[in-house]
Amino acid sequence: GTIIPAVIEGEPSHEYDRRHFGLPERSTLYFFNFDASSSYARKNPAGLIKAFETAFAEHERGTAATLVVKTMRLHWFPELERFLRREMKRINGILMVDDLTNTEMTSLINCIDVYVSLHRCEGFGMGMAEAMRLGKPLIATAFTATVDFCTADNCLPVRHDLVPITATGSA
């Protein structure tokens, strides 16, 4: 059959820079965005937070390196919201929950340094594709549909083991 990929479009605006989004100017920004209504366990932000915490010493988190997580519809899931707010605060990360226009979202991705997705399963991987189109380095789980465009030649694929998960994301 014929595969017709999703269209990735939109241009960033210089009107929306790091300062506009309240992001630190001198920190390396590691970024992930997801829709909270799209299976928290599948998107795996808890695994990303744990990996970030492991990768950077306490004094580096929020200074030399900052994890930025942008989510939408988080208010629909109060328990998840409490968890993410607590964990992001603990690692000196930034949790963004405001709705953004397409131009703002493209501009936000343009402001970051590295896009990271440690997903357990992904459909197309729109956020990853958008970041790659803007020339951002990508670190992503080498699993599911994203392997169609995320290779060792253009990103840092993360090896994985298949493990059962619950609705809350724990094994």
Side-chain angles (χ1 to χ4, degrees):
T2 303
I3 297 173
I4 302 173
V7 176
I8 308 300
E9 61 183 358
E11 292 303 317
S13 168
H14 297 293
E15 171 184 354
Y16 303 114
D17 57 8
R18 285 187 179 202
R19 183 170 298 139
H20 171 82
F21 294 112
L23 299 172
E25 295 287 335
R26 292 188 170 96
S27 185
T28 301
L29 302 181
Y30 293 84
F31 180 81
F32 176 61
N33 67 302
F34 74 103
D35 184 336
S37 68
S38 184
S39 178
Y40 165 75
R42 183 171 71 82
K43 296 295 186 171
N44 195 25
L48 174 59
I49 292 167
K50 183 179 178 181
F52 183 82
E53 185 175 25
T54 301
F56 297 98
E58 187 173 354
H59 71 277
E60 295 174 307
R61 292 183 232 133
T63 55
T66 302
L67 179 61
V68 179
V69 173
K70 165 68 178 89
T71 187
M72 55 192 288
R73 293 187 258 276
L74 188 59
H75 63 281
W76 292 2
F77 305 92
E79 187 176 315
L80 174 59
E81 183 172 7
R82 283 189 298 275
F83 169 79
L84 286 176
R85 287 191 185 282
R86 181 185 69 240
E87 291 299 295
M88 292 298 287
K89 183 178 181 180
R90 189 177 59 74
I91 63 162
N92 294 320
I94 297 171
L95 179 64
M96 301 178 72
V97 298
D98 292 340
D99 290 338
L100 300 178
T101 66
N102 288 340
T103 300
E104 287 172 315
M105 190 64 206
T106 302
S107 300
L108 174 59
I109 294 172
N110 197 49
C111 289
I112 61 103
D113 297 297
V114 181
Y115 192 100
V116 185
S117 178
L118 299 183
H119 58 271
R120 290 185 166 127
C121 180
E122 187 58 77
F124 172 68
M126 186 67 75
M128 290 173 269
E130 290 172 332
M132 291 175 77
R133 184 181 71 83
L134 293 170
K136 303 301 173 177
L138 174 67
I139 300 170
T141 307
F143 185 62
T144 61
T146 56
V147 299
D148 289 343
F149 64 89
C150 299
T151 68
D153 292 330
N154 65 8
C155 80
L156 181 60
V158 177
R159 292 179 305 205
H160 63 281
D161 292 318
L162 295 179
V163 295
I165 58 172
T166 66
T168 60
S170 57

